[in-house]
Amino acid sequence: MITLLSIRRDVSKFRVWNYSVKRIMSVFTETVNPITGACDWEMQDDEYDFHQEIARSSYADMLYDTERNQKYEAAIKIAIDTVHGFGKEANVLDIGTGTGLLSMMAAKHGADRIIACEAFEPIGKCAEEVVEKNGFASKIKVVKKRSTELKVGVDLPYRFNILVTEVFDTELIGEGAVCTFNHAHSELLESDAIVVPNSATVYAQVVESELVSNWNKLRDFKFGQQTSIKIPDFINNCAGAAAVHDVQLSQLPLQSFRSITSPLPVLKFDFSGKTRIREREESVVVFKASVTGTAQAVFMWWDLVMDPFSQITLSCAPYWAHPDVKVDISGPEAANLIPWRDHWMQAIYYLPSEVPVQQNHEFSLVSSHDEFSLWFSVTSSMRVQDDGKFSNKPICTCGLHLSMPRARIGCLNDTLRRKKYYRALQKKITQDTICLCLSDLSLLSLMAASLNPKKVYYLDTNVIFTKTLEKIIEHNNLQNKIQIFNKKEDLLSICDKVNLIVGEPHFSSSTLPWHNLQFWHLATQFRQICSDNVSMIPYKVVFSGLVVQFDHLWKIQAPLKTVEGFNTEPFDKLINNAIDLSDNAIDAQPLWEYGCRALSAPFQVLQIDLGANVSVSDSGFIHCLKKGTCHGVVLWADWCLDDLDIISTGPLDLINEKLVWDKYTKQGVFFFPQYKTVSHSNKISYLSLFQHKIPDVSFEFSLS
């Protein structure tokens, strides 16, 4: 299904300041400079919002999913042949038609009447163009409404006997699948209608994993044998947030987790209409722990049974649990054994309490869902299924999970980062130090205070996090060392004695690596007031690049041209035009989840002295070192705390030619408009510019 709800995860709420769009008409849109945080108004095309919605509904990767497409088509053919076998007309309702692909498959296989509905009007119009271009205009009617707004006798001449739809997300039911199917059976379909897909099964695997748990629990800060910062129990005993953490689980190293259970089928959704799908439901599965350890999280995915005869199954399992993978293999190459899909990933759910388990002892996995979401818990009690008592959805009571994304919690737990910051602070902090911390959602102020400076000031604009931080400060008896300010103006008036400015840097409004130059922007303002001998950590930032070939990520940008033999040019034109008018030239992606291979050596594209207030530019070219398909250039930041310790947000290792990326930050990805095979004779030219007065950062690349 193509819908605004399928917007690619973590899309920025802010336009990138430094890339212009074509200006045609006279509407004003509010823009945010991510470096300064300042709002401004720009004149845009009067359909700017329209184009932006289309561009950010980037779902072309779904249509690149050949397995999905082919299994839908096979199931649609079975449904049509079955209805015709009963001597009836095959009348197909396609809910959430998108490009019209499933409707055209139905037409290809002999459906007698097809009505396709699409709630997002621009895509609905595009579907009409695609349908017409492929010669099916006389067989397929596109209705630009939500399925729940359709009425028999108005939009449909009568109840239909086949439903095809794709209203699923990573969480299966997060796009409103329960309501969609129940309404269709109640109002739009015959009682014996065939539904594609016919059913779904949710699988859960209970695991122990320090890496995964570190995305949810905040750990004590330990340096050597001593604990410098203790995290209070009210944070680590918090049930956390129920929000799904969608992840490409196949990119997790097998050695990073231990399986407490094998994958277990825990929830079944029957879409056939034989029974109404329950809006709230709970199942209890009793299992024996396969190892002694701690149940910390649940890995989740789902399978679709596409047809009523259970002949065709589509699995979203990670490679180690995928029914089609028979080879015992691990490592980065293992992920390529299964179809790649970014629209249906796997998910991590954090247990509200971590449960110690003993090998071969029995426990209960409780799986719950409401109309839009899932949640899980593990208990040692043998609960009886369908006892009428439902587990409550986890609610954060500590504030940490409400104020921080998962990656940020993981970043704060990163041992190597902590050690580097601690070493850098040790070199600078004395009993006479007055320290100013400029970073969002940071514990750097506590780390600095633990080294016994004269005073630490911290600028924090997140009120929820401030309350949590105040309790951590009190728990560590640092109330007299740290003073928190929520407004920059209040801090400006008292910071004249500050002689050390520190930052991670991290800011909540940042999506691309250079957005964290907000640290430079704030520090520049404070330096005008601070002590003459003020020092800075970090003192410079280096932006670097790497020419890469992606295994699959290129599919989120590449035109489709044809899908399963159907011409999709109108769709490509609509999406590409919208991207040109409204979207960013560089995308932010967590590359640890997406396999890629380096085609060049890393190269520096820009270096900025954080203590200076001048514009900087750089240009040059880099030769490709390996033969491959050049998809684009990846950009990241290296923050230099001092001459020895550097915090890199880029590649950390190379395993079998595959790059291993930092798991806690996003990198910038520039995709070339056209991909081509490169070798040693090819080079990439670059031009970079930091303008301090605006301020903004821009990068340009060309391939020759």
Side-chain angles (χ1 to χ4, degrees):
M1 177 187 181
I2 293 175
T3 166
L4 283 178
L5 291 174
S6 63
I7 292 175
R8 191 165 66 250
R9 58 189 176 142
D10 296 333
V11 169
S12 170
K13 297 180 181 177
F14 302 93
R15 279 193 55 231
V16 177
W17 184 269
N18 49 311
Y19 297 105
S20 61
V21 298
K22 298 176 182 177
R23 294 175 174 82
I24 302 172
M25 282 294 289
S26 55
V27 297
F28 286 96
T29 60
E30 188 178 26
T31 61
V32 178
N33 184 320
I35 295 177
T36 66
C39 296
D40 201 354
W41 294 90
E42 284 191 1
M43 190 177 294
Q44 304 286 3
D45 175 357
D46 61 351
E47 292 188 331
Y48 173 77
D49 287 341
F50 160 84
H51 292 299
Q52 191 177 59
E53 287 183 354
I54 295 172
R56 292 186 177 179
S57 301
S58 185
Y59 36 71
D61 67 285
M62 177 188 295
L63 297 173
Y64 269 106
D65 186 346
T66 302
E67 184 197 40
R68 165 196 174 272
N69 299 337
Q70 292 178 349
K71 289 190 172 182
Y72 259 98
E73 182 169 5
I76 288 169
K77 183 180 185 303
I78 289 173
I80 293 170
D81 290 347
T82 301
V83 171
H84 282 165
F86 294 145
K88 297 181 179 180
E89 287 188 347
N91 301 314
V92 176
L93 173 62
D94 177 6
I95 292 178
T97 193
T99 58
L101 177 64
L102 302 186
S103 289
M104 292 188 295
M105 289 175 173
K108 171 184 172 181
H109 291 289
D112 298 283
R113 184 187 292 268
I114 305 164
I115 291 181
C117 72
E118 173 55 55
F120 190 24
E121 186 170 351
I123 298 297
K125 290 180 179 178
C126 179
E128 289 179 324
E129 294 180 36
V130 173
V131 165
E132 183 174 2
K133 192 169 188 67
N134 286 275
F136 295 115
S138 62
K139 295 205 69 173
I140 300 171
K141 178 185 177 182
V142 179
V143 179
K144 301 175 201 66
K145 290 183 179 180
R146 296 180 183 277
S147 66
T148 52
E149 297 172 345
L150 298 180
K151 295 186 181 300
V152 172
V154 179
D155 306 295
L156 283 71
Y158 35 73
R159 288 176 177 261
F160 276 27
N161 53 19
I162 297 175
L163 170 65
V164 297
T165 186
E166 195 278 88
V167 288
F168 311 114
D169 63 354
T170 292
E171 206 164 8
L172 182 66
I173 59 175
E175 288 189 5
V178 172
C179 173
T180 298
F181 282 109
N182 283 341
H183 176 269
H185 284 294
S186 173
E187 304 295 333
L188 306 175
L189 301 175
E190 293 181 1
S191 59
D192 59 349
I194 297 176
V195 179
V196 178
N198 184 72
S199 65
T201 300
V202 174
Y203 289 86
Q205 183 175 12
V206 183
V207 300
E208 175 186 67
S209 171
E210 182 180 1
L211 169 65
V212 170
S213 182
N214 280 348
W215 281 319
N216 186 55
K217 301 287 187 182
L218 196 57
R219 309 303 182 189
D220 289 347
F221 282 53
K222 295 183 179 180
F223 303 101
Q225 297 300 314
Q226 76 179 71
T227 298
S228 295
I229 302 169
K230 294 183 179 180
I231 304 302
D233 290 340
F234 84 92
I235 292 178
N236 286 325
N237 292 336
C238 175
V244 60
H245 185 184
D246 50 346
V247 170
Q248 295 279 6
L249 282 182
S250 289
Q251 296 297 329
L252 277 181
L254 281 179
Q255 63 270 23
S256 69
F257 65 90
R258 298 171 71 216
S259 297
I260 301 296
T261 70
S262 58
L264 303 170
V266 292
L267 291 168
K268 181 74 176 283
F269 292 85
D270 184 353
F271 304 136
S272 70
K274 294 175 183 176
T275 58
R276 179 181 174 84
I277 304 173
R278 295 167 67 178
E279 285 81 5
R280 186 176 174 96
E281 188 177 17
E282 186 167 282
S283 76
V284 179
V285 176
V286 177
F287 67 89
K288 285 186 178 181
S290 56
V291 296
T292 296
T294 303
Q296 295 177 312
V298 169
F299 292 165
M300 186 281 292
W301 60 88
W302 44 265
D303 289 355
L304 293 177
V305 174
M306 304 301 296
D307 65 293
F309 309 110
S310 301
Q311 296 176 2
I312 304 167
T313 300
L314 186 154
S315 176
C316 293
Y319 73 86
W320 69 79
H322 201 284
D324 296 336
V325 176
K326 307 302 181 185
V327 181
D328 184 15
I329 189 172
S330 62
E333 68 278 9
N336 291 324
L337 295 175
I338 60 175
W340 181 82
R341 46 181 65 105
D342 207 41
H343 48 284
W344 299 334
M345 290 184 284
Q346 300 82 37
I348 300 173
Y349 293 84
Y350 299 93
L351 296 173
S353 60
E354 297 185 348
V355 180
V357 296
Q358 292 290 323
Q359 187 176 17
N360 294 326
H361 286 206
E362 289 190 337
F363 298 86
S364 293
L365 172 62
V366 184
S367 308
S368 310
H369 78 84
D370 56 21
E371 197 168 352
F372 298 100
S373 58
L374 312 175
W375 62 96
F376 300 87
S377 61
V378 168
T379 175
S380 57
S381 64
M382 300 297 108
R383 293 184 47 176
V384 179
Q385 187 172 349
D386 295 327
D387 60 3
K389 298 178 181 179
F390 293 103
S391 301
N392 292 324
K393 187 182 295 188
I395 298 175
C396 174
T397 55
C398 72
L400 182 79
H401 307 93
L402 297 177
S403 58
M404 286 192 189
R406 301 294 186 186
R408 182 59 184 159
I409 299 175
C411 187
L412 293 178
N413 282 321
D414 184 36
T415 303
L416 184 59
R417 272 180 168 84
R418 288 180 173 185
K419 288 180 178 178
K420 288 182 177 181
Y421 285 121
Y422 193 76
R423 281 198 299 259
L425 290 170
Q426 271 186 316
K427 296 172 188 177
K428 293 288 186 180
I429 290 179
T430 69
Q431 292 183 347
D432 296 322
T433 300
I434 299 178
C435 181
L436 171 60
C437 181
L438 302 173
S439 280
D440 288 350
L441 307 177
S442 175
L443 298 179
L444 209 55
S445 60
L446 283 99
M447 194 182 295
S450 71
L451 292 167
N452 198 31
K454 189 173 183 179
K455 193 72 176 180
V456 176
Y457 298 128
Y458 176 41
L459 178 61
D460 174 51
T461 58
N462 187 309
V463 177
I464 297 176
F465 178 66
T466 296
K467 292 179 179 179
T468 303
L469 182 61
E470 287 174 341
K471 293 177 181 178
I472 300 176
I473 291 170
E474 183 178 355
H475 186 71
N476 287 274
N477 297 314
L478 295 172
Q479 305 94 305
N480 296 328
K481 289 289 184 182
I482 303 175
Q483 187 173 355
I484 302 174
F485 292 83
N486 296 123
K487 294 181 180 179
K488 178 179 66 176
E489 293 74 19
D490 295 340
L491 184 53
L492 281 167
S493 63
I494 66 165
C495 69
D496 57 307
K497 303 296 184 183
V498 167
N499 50 27
L500 177 62
I501 299 176
V502 303
E504 300 203 37
H506 169 85
F507 295 91
S508 300
S509 59
S510 300
T511 51
L512 290 163
W514 44 94
H515 292 175
N516 284 316
L517 282 170
Q518 189 171 343
F519 172 76
W520 163 85
H521 174 71
L522 290 170
T524 298
Q525 297 177 62
F526 283 106
R527 280 172 63 89
Q528 299 172 5
I529 304 167
C530 295
S531 168
D532 291 338
N533 62 339
V534 63
S535 299
M536 291 183 62
I537 302 175
Y539 74 98
K540 73 176 179 181
V541 60
V542 176
F543 295 105
S544 298
L546 193 63
V547 183
V548 299
Q549 172 182 309
F550 286 109
D551 291 347
H552 300 287
L553 189 62
W554 58 271
K555 296 173 183 176
I556 69 174
Q557 291 279 354
L560 295 160
K561 298 181 181 178
T562 61
V563 178
E564 302 305 318
F566 299 104
N567 188 315
T568 58
E569 286 181 12
F571 175 74
D572 289 339
K573 183 178 178 181
L574 176 70
I575 296 296
N576 291 337
N577 184 53
I579 289 173
D580 288 343
L581 288 171
S582 68
D583 226 353
N584 305 333
I586 298 179
D587 198 12
Q589 292 289 343
L591 289 186
W592 76 269
E593 296 186 57
Y594 304 105
C596 64
R597 186 167 70 95
L599 300 181
S600 75
F603 58 99
Q604 179 178 309
V605 293
L606 195 64
Q607 178 175 302
I608 300 173
D609 181 350
L610 299 173
N613 194 25
V614 296
S615 296
V616 182
S617 65
D618 198 356
S619 62
F621 62 87
I622 184 75
H623 280 284
C624 294
L625 299 179
K626 295 181 180 179
K627 184 177 181 179
T629 302
C630 180
H631 290 129
V633 177
V634 175
L635 296 163
W636 68 89
D638 291 332
W639 301 92
C640 302
L641 307 184
D642 53 35
D643 291 335
L644 294 177
D645 284 315
I646 298 172
I647 301 295
S648 178
T649 62
L652 305 178
D653 201 354
L654 186 67
I655 299 178
N656 297 331
E657 291 196 343
K658 296 290 184 174
L659 292 160
V660 179
W661 296 87
D662 175 49
K663 289 183 171 62
Y664 309 115
T665 54
K666 292 182 180 181
Q667 293 73 37
V669 182
F670 173 86
F671 289 99
F672 286 109
Q674 294 182 339
Y675 309 140
K676 75 175 190 178
T677 301
V678 297
S679 61
H680 295 272
S681 61
N682 297 100
K683 63 182 180 182
I684 284 80
S685 301
Y686 66 89
L687 174 65
S688 56
L689 175 63
F690 168 59
Q691 299 181 73
H692 79 282
K693 289 185 178 179
I694 299 178
D696 83 70
V697 178
S698 60
F699 300 98
E700 295 180 11
F701 300 95
S702 61
L703 173 61
S704 61

